[in-house]
Amino acid sequence: MQVPLLDINRQHAGIEEELKQVFAKALSSSRFIKGPDMEALEAEFAEYSGTKEAIGCASGTDALILALQATGLKRDELVITVPFTFFATAGAIVRAGGTPVFIDILPDTFNMDPDLLSEWLNNNCAITNRGVIHRKSGRRVAAIIPVHIFGQIANMDAINGVASTWELPVVEDAAQAVGAKWRDSRAGSLGTVGCFSFFPSKNLGALGDGGMLTTDNPELAKRLRSIREHGGQGYLHAEVGTNSRLDAIQAGFLRVKLRRLEEWHKGRRANAERYKEAFTGVDQVRTPVIDPRAWSIYNQYTLLAESRDELLGFLRSRQIGCAVYYPLPLHLQECFRDLGYSQGDFKVSEDCSGKVISLPVFGELTKEEQDEVIAAVKEFYQR
Ligand SMILES: *Cc1c(COP(=O)(O)O)cnc(C)c1O
């Protein structure tokens, strides 16, 4: 039996008529960019995330770039993040004019290690009247970006604690974590500003690119709204922004989906629970470790697996969808060679990159399909 890693058609089948109505409405309204549907989505997304403001933009990557500019990043300043994430986290730092500084992850949750964050700041930085300065380079540290990887929120108690000691803004990369919770707070409400992606394969996906920012700070929201449209008020420009808006039609599609999101999360979480039970006793795989304070939406279901590459090949030969997120940590990417990192600098990220494998977890996965995946993994290790 063929089992897809993700089948968006199944999700769309149940809402096809509503999606078609969105298209018809957009076509007849001739409002293609922003418009009433985007404003409604912003209000609904803010309410869902528990923030005062939500600001639509063109992608998750743009959300990060806009957030960094709005929180004050200037050219050649430093931004702290993790090497074990999708490329866009660090790519956005560079596109916004900054330089990434990497902090390793925890081996259990795959999220930023707050102790290492604190240690790096203590060992390398000082608070001056120019802000937090990296002593060796003289450069200012502008922000911290924790990534809520695979749908689990990073330890925001500890990260916010460090950030407030150093008075640094926290930009949440919540691209994989719409709706995920830390205690009772949703992703995007835990830092200074939250960044979301509506890339089609994300847990809340548009039918194209799209992104969102969240914040409780009205001044920041105002600045983000300005920066997404060239930084102007009318035709007067106090700063240089960009063109990064959300299409009306995508906002309409997303409104239809947001209404179902909690229901879809139940499906993902139930599938994750079934895998966990099924793999207890399979010593060669470690199922996801979720912090008791976190409520994961399992944007990916990621195992640490022995003989990962062989398992990957075996599952693929059985036509079972699986993937490696992410095979090469960012500090070892060719484009970041100038940063001066080398193999061995972030052992946990490097180790995880060699062992992770993600299995199908989408809500519409059938029981039969999941049984097939489970049986294939078990068969592989019993051979
Ligand atoms: C998808 C993703 C992004 C980028 O989002 P796009 O909408 O594709 O630009 C950024 N960070 C992480 C962790 C992601 O998974």
Side-chain angles (χ1 to χ4, degrees):
M1 188 198 306
Q2 195 174 334
V3 183
L5 181 59
L6 173 66
D7 183 355
I8 299 174
N9 284 340
R10 294 187 206 175
Q11 184 185 75
H12 290 171
I15 52 174
E16 198 177 322
E17 276 318 305
E18 281 175 80
L19 296 178
K20 283 180 177 165
Q21 280 165 24
V22 169
F23 173 74
K25 188 171 141 196
L27 188 64
S28 64
S29 76
S30 299
R31 281 294 303 265
F32 301 129
I33 289 170
K34 302 200 297 174
D37 258 332
M38 189 203 69
E39 282 164 24
L41 176 70
E42 287 182 341
E44 288 157 9
F45 197 89
E47 154 129 43
Y48 176 75
S49 303
T51 58
K52 291 204 183 94
E53 304 265 3
I55 302 99
C57 65
S59 72
T61 304
D62 274 3
L64 289 163
I65 295 172
L66 296 174
L68 288 171
Q69 182 174 349
T71 53
L73 172 67
K74 300 280 188 309
R75 188 153 290 283
D76 293 332
E77 292 181 342
L78 307 177
V79 177
I80 303 172
T81 192
V82 288
F84 187 76
T85 174
F86 178 57
F87 179 78
T89 314
I93 294 170
V94 175
R95 298 296 303 177
T99 301
V101 171
F102 295 118
I103 298 290
D104 212 352
I105 57 167
L106 292 160
D108 52 359
T109 61
F110 306 122
N111 275 321
M112 182 183 277
D113 185 334
D115 292 336
L116 293 180
L117 170 68
S118 174
E119 197 181 296
W120 186 84
L121 284 161
N122 284 324
N123 290 344
N124 296 286
C125 298
I127 298 179
T128 74
N129 55 7
R130 277 205 299 136
V132 179
I133 300 299
H134 180 244
R135 284 196 219 93
K136 205 164 132 202
S137 67
R139 296 199 207 177
R140 193 178 76 97
V141 179
I144 304 168
I145 310 185
V147 180
H148 305 326
I149 198 88
F150 306 146
Q152 174 171 208
I153 294 191
N155 181 347
M156 291 302 287
D157 292 356
I159 292 168
N160 281 336
V162 177
S164 79
T165 302
W166 291 85
E167 293 180 33
L168 287 169
V170 176
V171 174
E172 297 177 70
D173 184 340
Q176 300 182 3
V178 179
K181 284 185 263 191
W182 178 259
R183 303 185 188 281
D184 289 328
S185 303
R186 300 253 196 209
S189 72
L190 291 146
T192 312
V193 48
C195 301
F196 295 90
S197 164
F198 302 132
F199 184 79
S201 69
K202 304 288 159 97
N203 67 312
L204 177 61
L207 277 65
D209 276 313
M212 188 69 78
L213 292 133
T214 51
T215 182
D216 279 332
N217 180 331
E219 285 304 309
L220 204 53
K222 196 171 157 205
R223 190 158 173 210
L224 289 166
R225 288 206 162 85
S226 164
I227 296 172
R228 80 172 164 188
E229 275 187 300
H230 303 294
Q233 298 283 335
Y235 288 97
L236 302 176
H237 299 262
E239 70 180 313
V240 178
T242 186
N243 169 2
S244 183
R245 297 170 293 223
L246 186 61
D247 286 349
I249 194 166
Q250 298 301 347
F253 294 145
L254 289 162
R255 292 185 70 200
V256 171
K257 291 192 173 195
L258 185 57
R259 292 197 275 277
R260 269 92 175 180
L261 194 59
E262 283 307 283
E263 206 49 45
W264 291 339
H265 286 159
K266 281 187 196 153
R268 285 177 175 275
R269 288 175 53 83
N271 291 340
E273 209 47 52
R274 283 197 74 223
Y275 277 134
K276 187 178 173 177
E277 269 172 41
F279 292 137
T280 32
V282 182
D283 295 337
Q284 295 91 339
V285 301
R286 197 209 69 190
T287 55
V289 177
I290 306 297
D291 187 294
R293 294 161 289 187
W295 189 84
S296 175
I297 52 84
Y298 293 99
N299 193 64
Q300 285 91 336
Y301 187 84
T302 305
L303 300 173
L304 285 178
E306 270 176 34
S307 313
R308 191 271 318 275
D309 291 336
E310 290 78 12
L311 175 64
L312 192 75
F314 181 78
L315 294 178
R316 288 197 170 144
S317 75
R318 294 293 173 88
Q319 298 194 297
I320 290 170
C322 51
V324 172
Y325 306 119
Y326 296 93
L328 187 66
L330 301 188
H331 67 289
L332 301 177
Q333 297 286 347
E334 185 171 350
C335 63
F336 293 141
R337 206 184 298 162
D338 291 353
L339 299 179
Y341 291 110
S342 50
Q343 185 86 35
D345 283 347
F346 302 106
K347 289 219 165 60
V348 181
S349 293
E350 292 166 19
D351 186 53
C352 290
S353 292
K355 292 183 180 160
V356 285
I357 181 168
S358 299
L359 302 179
V361 73
F362 61 101
E364 301 79 14
L365 186 73
T366 67
K367 182 171 176 301
E368 292 67 33
E369 287 173 322
Q370 197 178 13
D371 287 341
E372 186 93 1
V373 179
I374 293 164
V377 171
K378 287 185 171 171
E379 185 189 331
F380 173 78
Y381 288 113
Q382 279 159 7
R383 287 182 313 165

